[in-house]
Amino acid sequence: MMKKYLLLVFSLLFGISQSQIIRKYSNEFLNIGAGARGLAMGGAVVSNQDDVYSPMWNPAGLMAIEKDWQGAAMHAEYFESIAKYDYLAYAKVLETGVFGVSVVRLGVDNILNTTQLIDTEGNIDYDKITKFSQSDYAAILSYAFNPAGNTKLDVGVNAKIVYRNVGKFANGYGFGFDIGAIYKMDNGYKIGGMLRDATTTVNFWSVNQKELSTIVNGEEFNPAPKDKMELTMPKLNVGVSKNFEINSSVYVLPEAGINVDFAKTAALISTDFASITPYAGAELGYQKMIFVRLGVNRFQSITDIEDLKRKVSFQPSAGIGIRYRGLTLDYAITNSGIGGSNFYSNFFSLKLDMGQFRND
């Protein structure tokens, strides 16, 4: 029963419905983030992510890659392996900046297709039930640089191409841009900001009306949405961090900030114009080899179903990491954050820093 329920949830979240097609924000799979380090810290890496995973948090962070190239991969599974999330990335240092390319996929397989369950005369035929998959893909090209040679200011840009497929029912293509910056102050503090979907990201859908709809006793069910365009409104993430050295071997790197959605959501502060929620996280490192991380994010005001009272929910996270020469393995565990649920997901990510590997 649990798996059937979760399949229904995902078909509602990712399937094609008229409410989804015309909603003001979409492509939420690109807001999950990438790299177990950032996920373990609750996304508190907007000003301090300094590697190939930066495009998903703030592309300006690519400028921290000093030489050669970096490669990375991450895999995660949600809700008892029903949804699978994968990320691959590569970043290369150039004379004028750092170039990066990333590929993201979130897929849900074995969703029940019951559109043909009932024939035109109203008879039920369970043999007509089939299965389909829903997948979201994105290719991200990134570039980071120091404007006018100012080494205190890093700027980065993402160009995104999105492809979304809902079995044989529909598919959509989209494109958009992100822009980010990190300013390094003389006192050691870093201020970072990323404007996601800066120009809004637009998805254009093509719907297979024949496969989607069902005619029962002359009445049409599941009609195709009339509006085939989907808009992703901008989101702003701003954070401040500083590295505190406890001694020659130990440091603590905390960050705190806010996420701003330019739409009305269930955030703690929510208006018709924008919704604001805080986040915080920290990393404890030992000799830059062993890392322990904690974070909290996604504060929301929700209604408890049992007593109908309003309460605050949040998404906690934690993780560890280990680095040997130029190879880093990170792990994170975090709450899904969907509807105040208690589903926890595990993330594993791997990074190869060829510049550091060759130096060691």
Side-chain angles (χ1 to χ4, degrees), residues 4 21 28-30 50 55 58 67 73 79 89 129 137 144-145 147 181 215 221-222 234 297 299 316:
K4 290 182 179 179
I21 288 292
E28 287 298 307
F29 76 105
L30 291 177
D50 56 1
N58 185 346
K67 59 180 65 176
F79 302 110
I129 297 178
Y137 300 87
F145 61 98
I215 305 296
F221 294 86
N222 303 323
N297 202 340
F299 289 89

Side-chain angles (χ1 to χ4, degrees), residues 7-8 10-11 108-113 130-134:
L7 285 173
L8 175 61
F10 270 97
S11 65
V108 181
D109 300 317
N110 297 319
I111 302 175
L112 296 181
N113 171 19
T130 58
K131 296 180 179 180
F132 67 96
S133 297
Q134 191 284 332

